[in-house]
Amino acid sequence: MSLHMRLAAAGSPLSDASSYVLGMPHLCPNGLSENWLWKELGHRHWNLIAQAYGRAAAGFGPKGGQPIYAAFRNISLHGGDLGGVRENDSLDVRSTITSLSETRVVSRHVAACRDRLIADVEMTSVFVRRQAEGVNRSIIRVRIEGPGGAEPSGETMASHPSYSRRATSAQDTFVDEREVGTMAIETCPHLDFNGAGLLYFSSFIAAVDRAEWHLVGKRSGLLATRERRAVFYANIEVGDDLTVRMLTAQDGTACRHRALLSASVDGKLLAEVVTDRMMA
């Protein structure tokens, strides 16, 4: 599919188009910063939800109740050419809600530079709230119903059927998968947690990148992301740490691996991330 067709296919009444002149906050040594991209697209995803429900200022849920958030269930990046941009380039991003219901939202984001595809991203979130104030392990899914209202769906994040299907299984991805090692990641509330007190979804990806740098080798610093897929199962409390177990398959031109992220405190599976990189 041509870039023009991709951009056209992404059009809908609930959409947003923006351009960014790329500077230091947007870049890393090998081109576009994937960490910046995830944070920016996460913000755009939230703004589209607020636009869809028409209550950006008031937020979601009844007054006095536990706040309701849009928690990412899975994200994917395809057609990645993050190494194809440099300082002062103009990055055009078209964001669109492609599916909206009272329980979940799917958005698509197409990033291009000089009519060349840089990233084609899809993000799925579900509505959640805490059952106990300040306790991330008490998060359950909820259903948004009417202006300001929400009803529990009766499901925890991990118990929902879509979470039990491993969208990023080794069998679907690699034939020669082998275990590389395990790395402990110490989280920091100033860097890794968002304003809702949750470990931010981009911090899961950052943890995988740190583990890759340590376990796979420094040659990974020469590579840029071509594909990334992640599915999220649970969150942790501020002060808890992560353990990243990495399995990899490599050839001469690419770095491909699957990472299992778990809570260091109890071993609970938090996320599964598949990465495919190539020379920038």
Side-chain angles (χ1 to χ4, degrees):
M1 179 184 291
S2 71
L3 177 57
H4 177 74
M5 291 174 65
R6 285 176 184 265
L7 290 170
S12 89
L14 292 173
S15 64
D16 180 37
S18 301
S19 294
Y20 304 82
V21 177
L22 300 179
M24 293 302 102
H26 314 97
L27 299 169
C28 68
N30 288 334
L32 189 67
S33 166
E34 187 182 353
N35 189 259
W36 169 83
L37 182 65
W38 285 123
K39 290 180 178 179
E40 180 62 21
L41 297 185
H43 181 60
R44 293 171 72 93
H45 179 92
W46 172 256
N47 284 340
L48 285 172
I49 296 173
Q51 177 185 340
Y53 283 92
R55 41 183 161 154
F60 303 103
K63 287 185 178 181
Q66 286 291 331
I68 293 174
Y69 306 107
F72 284 108
R73 187 183 74 180
N74 47 46
I75 58 175
S76 65
L77 183 156
H78 298 280
D81 184 18
L82 305 189
V85 299
R86 294 294 181 266
E87 186 179 1
N88 296 320
D89 279 348
S90 179
L91 184 73
D92 300 315
V93 180
R94 171 74 64 82
S95 299
T96 312
I97 284 183
T98 60
S99 178
L100 176 67
S101 74
E102 59 188 15
T103 59
R104 72 168 194 158
V105 179
V106 183
S107 67
R108 185 181 176 198
H109 312 263
V110 179
C113 179
R114 296 187 297 273
D115 201 39
R116 185 177 71 253
L117 180 68
I118 301 301
D120 191 345
V121 173
E122 185 172 277
M123 311 176 80
T124 301
S125 67
V126 294
F127 296 109
V128 302
R129 73 177 178 200
R130 296 181 179 94
Q131 292 178 290
E133 185 174 358
V135 181
N136 292 342
R137 286 185 175 83
S138 72
I139 284 177
I140 60 169
R141 291 185 60 170
V142 297
R143 180 179 294 106
I144 298 289
E145 293 184 343
E151 295 293 335
S153 68
E155 299 162 338
T156 63
M157 292 283 285
S159 69
H160 190 261
S162 62
Y163 281 83
S164 64
R165 295 191 297 267
R166 293 295 190 262
T168 52
S169 67
Q171 290 77 15
D172 293 339
T173 309
F174 310 133
V175 175
D176 58 341
E177 186 177 61
R178 61 185 179 84
E179 184 161 352
V180 176
T182 300
M183 180 179 179
I185 303 290
E186 184 176 5
T187 64
C188 173
H190 303 298
L191 301 174
D192 300 313
F193 288 77
N194 62 17
L198 297 166
L199 186 71
Y200 201 36
F201 78 103
S202 61
S203 297
F204 288 90
I205 306 300
V208 172
D209 286 349
R210 291 185 184 279
E212 177 193 272
W213 180 250
H214 179 75
L215 296 171
V216 175
K218 299 301 186 282
R219 70 180 288 271
S220 68
L222 304 175
L223 307 173
T225 301
R226 176 169 56 188
E227 179 178 343
R228 181 93 74 171
R229 292 184 288 123
V231 56
F232 304 100
Y233 306 117
N235 212 279
I236 59 173
E237 311 298 337
V238 174
D240 288 351
D241 296 329
L242 302 174
T243 299
V244 180
R245 176 179 172 233
M246 185 162 287
L247 305 102
T248 189
Q250 290 183 247
D251 55 34
T253 59
C255 175
R256 297 178 297 151
H257 52 74
R258 184 170 66 99
L260 303 175
L261 290 83
S262 58
S264 298
V265 66
D266 59 8
K268 183 176 184 178
L269 182 63
L270 303 172
E272 194 168 0
V273 182
V274 167
T275 304
D276 188 347
R277 298 192 195 267
M278 63 184 300
M279 193 67 66

